[in-house]
Amino acid sequence: MPPADQAGLRRANLALVVRTLREHGQQSRAQLSALSGLSKATVSNLVSELESRRLVRAAGLTAGRQGRPGQLVELSPGSVCGIGLEINLEYLRATVLDLAGTVITEQLVPLRVVELGPQRCLDQLAELARSMLATVAAVGAWPAGITVAVPGLVDTQAGVVRFAPNLRWRQIALVDGLAARVDFPLERCAVDNDANLAALAEHTSGAASGTADLLCIVGSSGVGAGLLAAGVPVRGASGFAGEVGHLSLDPLGPSCPCGNRGCWERQIDLGTLLEVMSSPDDPVRDPSLAVSDRLRIIRGRAEAGDRRTLDALQQVGDALGVGLALLINVLNPAAVVLGGYFAELYEWLVEHARIQIASRVLSPEAARAAILPSTLGFTAAIRGGAQHAMRTVMDNPTLAPVVASEPTEAPA
Ligand SMILES: [Zn+2]
């Protein structure tokens, strides 16, 4: 076998051991051998290398079995971290997760992204990334990567934001710009659509954890969708699938920054809810309010039974259901996770949406798709970003630096 193929096989086997430990928790080398189908000698050798890269660690002895007790190994949670960043219309957000999915830190920076423009926004994003990298260093971990969530069409291969209508961005080389500013390796820096990353987080650790056919709809200053079919993200031929917010549902409706009219998101995004439920001078529309404060006011009014607020929530809930019915007819998901602000106001939206879905979806089985509130809320995209960043190393553990003694060079 040529050396290049041997190296590739070894990388694949290292990834297989990591994946097996992720799925099954701590195991002895003999158990890992049985679960992975690799020989015991190979497993021992691979585990040694993973230990030297601090990806796995010793975890006590097997108990309650006959014969000599075996040494257990497990993923070493605090040694590797992923960094997730998010660019939104009104803020930048960041998180650091470790291998076990524990949140090490989270940060929100209010920012008028459109007014700032892409290059100055990237300066701010780089500052936030440096602060996250400092946190990773402070806990003694290694940063696997940085993945940025953006509301728009993203060329993930090139690391370029092709078009983000709400940000007014076109052709922004985000990965190049960020990696250069932070002096971080280009190959461990990535950008993806925010709803795709939110769907990854919901699938990995959220409301629909493990659901293979999943639709995730995120409501914010726009509306995005991430879709998994049979556990695999659906990206389409050019990687731009999921732009459901710009389904033109009303050709005579209001104009949208994308250039179209009557887009679904102009019926259901947070700005629309605010316009319907309040007058321009209403304090709930104060531009200096954080999204969380705005939502607290809306919830308060809904709980108090304020008629105008409840009517606005019904209007948005109905429009949400009309669009969801269309998507359920096309995609037949097992579950729909409502993320972003839809999760915060779920109880006032979901019944209106369900009525529309029940009357518009053709198959009664498809119409029974679970409509769930996100448990990750506005943090889903950054969580997905951090998980995506760690996945690069999960798929190729040789990216993690060797910090202990060199591994022995036995064939895989
Ligand atoms: Zn549009």
Side-chain angles (χ1 to χ4, degrees), residues 159-358:
V160 173
V161 179
R162 293 291 178 211
F163 183 33
N166 293 337
L167 301 181
R168 315 274 202 279
W169 286 13
R170 274 185 195 276
Q171 307 295 354
I172 305 300
L174 191 139
V175 165
D176 283 355
L178 181 64
R181 281 169 172 82
V182 183
D183 193 22
F184 194 78
L186 204 57
E187 68 275 13
R188 285 167 28 223
C189 206
V191 58
D192 203 342
N193 172 271
D194 55 358
N196 284 348
L197 292 171
L200 172 64
E202 298 293 354
H203 175 69
T204 309
S205 59
S209 176
T211 303
D213 294 281
L214 174 66
L215 175 62
C216 177
I217 303 283
V218 183
S220 173
S221 41
V223 173
L227 175 68
L228 285 140
V232 179
V234 174
R235 294 184 166 275
S238 316
F240 301 147
E243 284 303 323
V244 300
H246 298 283
L247 284 169
S248 179
L249 295 187
D250 177 8
L252 303 176
S255 61
C256 175
C258 77
N260 239 315
R261 279 194 166 277
C263 289
W264 190 30
E265 72 176 35
R266 294 279 81 85
Q267 302 174 355
I268 60 171
D269 68 5
L270 183 54
T272 305
L273 174 68
L274 288 166
E275 276 170 32
V276 179
M277 66 170 277
S278 64
S279 309
D281 58 348
D282 191 307
V284 75
R285 288 214 221 168
D286 181 347
S288 68
L289 273 186
V291 177
S292 53
D293 295 327
R294 226 186 286 289
L295 288 168
R296 198 172 312 122
I297 295 173
I298 300 172
R299 286 187 67 91
R301 290 183 190 177
E303 278 163 4
D306 176 67
R307 197 65 255 161
R308 188 168 175 185
T309 304
L310 293 175
D311 286 348
L313 286 164
Q314 170 162 8
Q315 181 180 322
V316 168
D318 283 343
L320 179 64
V322 170
L324 281 180
L326 214 149
L327 296 172
I328 291 170
N329 269 324
V330 175
L331 301 165
N332 184 205
V336 177
V337 176
L338 298 180
Y341 99 83
F342 297 141
E344 304 276 335
L345 301 176
Y346 175 82
E347 62 206 274
W348 292 284
L349 296 170
V350 70
E351 284 317 317
H352 303 302
R354 279 200 179 115
I355 290 167
Q356 296 297 332
I357 290 166

